[in-house]
Amino acid sequence: MADKKKTNIILFSGDYDKAMAAYIIANGAAAYDHDVTIFHTFWGLNALRKDEKLQPKKSFMEKMFGKMMPRGANNMPLSKMQFLGMGPKMIKGVIQKHNTVPLPDLIDMAKEQDITLLACTMTMDLLGLKKEELLDDIEYGGVAAYIAEGEDGAINLFI
């Protein structure tokens, strides 16, 4: 039996629509029996943040980053058409109207399909994100962990 094909995605963007595209591709690849890893780095880590407000011990600068970044996938901004905050509400309405799966549900589906959700520990350190602020049942690692996953990937994407 041949080895499973691998799909690896670097999610750098903190934009709702781009994260949604990454998770649609990831879930689709998993449905085609690929081993899939999504490496969340920099603003892409916001897709893994829990919605609730937590108070882990942080420096002043880490607290400031925490306040400036959205908590949870559903609070991420759009890449275009913000319309003074109305854009995200409008696109979520269109998503619902067309019975499309919203980003938080795509993330849950990814977990159910055993997609590896990998949080970049170097970026977590830079932005002051703590493990307790991120979703449960994810993995942590740096560039070496991503390279180990990505070096024999059939598909490698940067979003």
Side-chain angles (χ1 to χ4, degrees):
M1 186 175 127
D3 288 334
K4 278 181 136 183
K5 289 186 178 179
K6 293 183 90 174
T7 295
N8 303 290
I9 300 170
I10 297 173
L11 182 56
F12 177 85
S13 175
D15 297 325
Y16 185 94
D17 48 321
K18 291 178 183 179
M20 190 170 171
Y23 274 90
I24 289 170
I25 293 166
N27 281 299
Y32 275 94
D33 205 32
H34 284 218
D35 279 331
V36 181
T37 297
I38 305 176
F39 182 68
H40 300 77
T41 189
F42 285 89
W43 316 120
L45 281 168
N46 290 323
L48 298 178
R49 286 188 79 191
K50 291 178 180 173
D51 291 331
E52 62 263 21
K53 189 173 186 176
L54 302 170
Q55 298 292 330
K57 186 169 175 58
K58 292 184 173 193
S59 71
F60 175 76
M61 190 62 71
E62 290 171 337
K63 287 178 185 176
M64 295 313 302
F65 271 120
K67 288 184 185 306
M68 291 187 286
M69 295 186 306
R71 274 193 309 276
N74 217 32
N75 295 313
M76 295 167 69
L78 292 179
S79 61
K80 305 277 187 221
M81 299 189 301
Q82 281 297 324
F83 300 131
L84 301 171
M86 287 302 298
K89 289 178 180 67
M90 291 166 56
I91 195 71
K92 289 171 188 170
V94 170
I95 287 168
Q96 185 176 16
K97 180 181 175 189
H98 291 275
N99 294 317
T100 303
V101 180
L103 181 56
D105 294 348
L106 288 169
I107 294 169
D108 290 341
M109 285 173 57
K111 287 178 164 186
E112 290 169 11
Q113 293 197 81
D114 294 322
I115 291 173
T116 301
L117 304 181
L118 184 59
C120 179
T121 51
M122 182 200 74
T123 304
M124 288 175 64
D125 289 343
L126 288 173
L127 300 178
L129 289 172
K130 309 296 182 198
K131 287 183 179 182
E132 59 264 30
E133 293 179 274
L134 300 182
L135 299 175
D136 299 327
D137 303 321
I138 64 171
E139 296 181 25
Y140 299 89
V143 172
Y146 172 74
I147 296 298
E149 289 290 329
E151 67 185 341
D152 58 351
I155 300 170
N156 290 287
L157 302 171
F158 183 90
I159 299 174

